[in-house]
Structures are given as C-alpha cells and as structure tokens.
Amino acid sequence: MIQIITGSTLGGAEYVGDHLSDLLNKKGIETCIHNQPQLSEIPAEGTWLIITSTHGAGDYPDNIQPFIQALQTSPPKMSGVKYAVIAIGDSSYDTFCGAGKHAYALLEDIGATPVTDCLTIDVLSHIVAEDAAEVWLAKHIHQL
C-alpha cells in the first residue's frame, strides 16, 4: 500500500496524486490518497509518497500544514516507512519547491528511508505536472 499525501493550494498536487494513483492501481499496487492528511490516519509503515506544491515564500499549502506540524512536534516511529517526495514549484521564485524539499529532509531526519532523490517539477518547464510525474514514476516504480 502506498500512502499518497498531497499538499495543494490550487489542485495541481492533487491532480498529480490522482494520476499516479491511477497508474499504480493499473499495475496492481494499492494506494490511499490523503488530500486532507491527518498524521493519526496514516500508518507509520510501508511507503509514503508526498506530493506538494510550495505556496507563498516557501510555505506549505494550508491543507498539509497541520500534518507537517504534527510530524515536526510528535513524529511517530518512522523506521518502517520508506518515502519519496514530488515537489511542484515555479523556478522564478527563490523558494523554488521549498515545501517539498523541506518535507524530504524532515522525513529523513525523523527516521524514514528515502527511496530516491526529491523530484522537483518546475511549472515553467512542465505545464502539465502529471506528465513529468509519470516519467518519474516509470523510472522509480520498482523502488516504491
């Protein structure tokens, strides 16, 4: 089971999460999407795929802020979690993909195991973020 956790202001990260979930399901891999993630509802085991945009000055979208705050203040035992992060942002900002990069470092700091480097998707280069995420998934599906 892959837990897909999204942080989205305008829906882009949710679209990527839905698309990757569909692709994984077609491969026989079960997923659970969390568009309003609550730490208490996500098992600290298996694989987590965090897909988040960056809002404002490197901030998390409102829907994922409580989840990240809970991870920072009272993280569960994460030794049974492997993870990947897809960060969506605009490279014209100096805080490009800041939320996703922070989530990647945070998960590693609290004991989860990364399966690949953080994927950054620049919306200036990839107008349809789902396409870039699909290419990434094809390369890394065996690691998830």
Side-chain angles (χ1 to χ4, degrees), residues 9-133:
T9 300
L10 301 175
E14 289 179 13
Y15 297 144
V16 171
D18 289 343
H19 183 63
L20 294 185
S21 178
D22 290 345
L23 293 173
L24 289 162
N25 292 163
K26 287 178 185 175
K27 297 280 187 183
I29 301 169
E30 192 176 348
T31 61
C32 183
I33 299 175
H34 304 273
N35 290 329
Q36 296 295 325
Q38 299 294 320
L39 185 56
S40 62
E41 297 174 2
I42 302 171
E45 61 187 24
T47 302
W48 289 11
L49 174 56
I50 295 184
I51 304 165
T52 188
S53 60
T54 297
H55 179 71
D59 300 321
Y60 286 96
D62 290 344
N63 73 304
I64 198 171
Q65 285 180 6
F67 173 79
I68 296 297
Q69 184 65 37
L71 279 176
Q72 290 174 313
T73 58
S74 56
K77 182 178 177 191
M78 297 292 285
S79 60
V81 175
K82 59 182 183 174
Y83 72 93
V85 175
I86 296 175
I88 304 168
D90 180 332
S91 63
S92 67
Y93 290 88
D94 59 355
T95 56
F96 174 63
C97 290
K101 291 174 181 176
H102 177 267
Y104 185 90
L106 172 62
L107 287 170
E108 190 168 27
D109 286 347
I110 63 174
T113 303
V115 296
T116 185
D117 292 336
C118 181
L119 171 66
T120 57
I121 299 175
D122 185 355
V123 296
L124 296 180
S125 303
H126 300 282
I127 296 178
V128 180
E130 293 95 315
D131 293 344

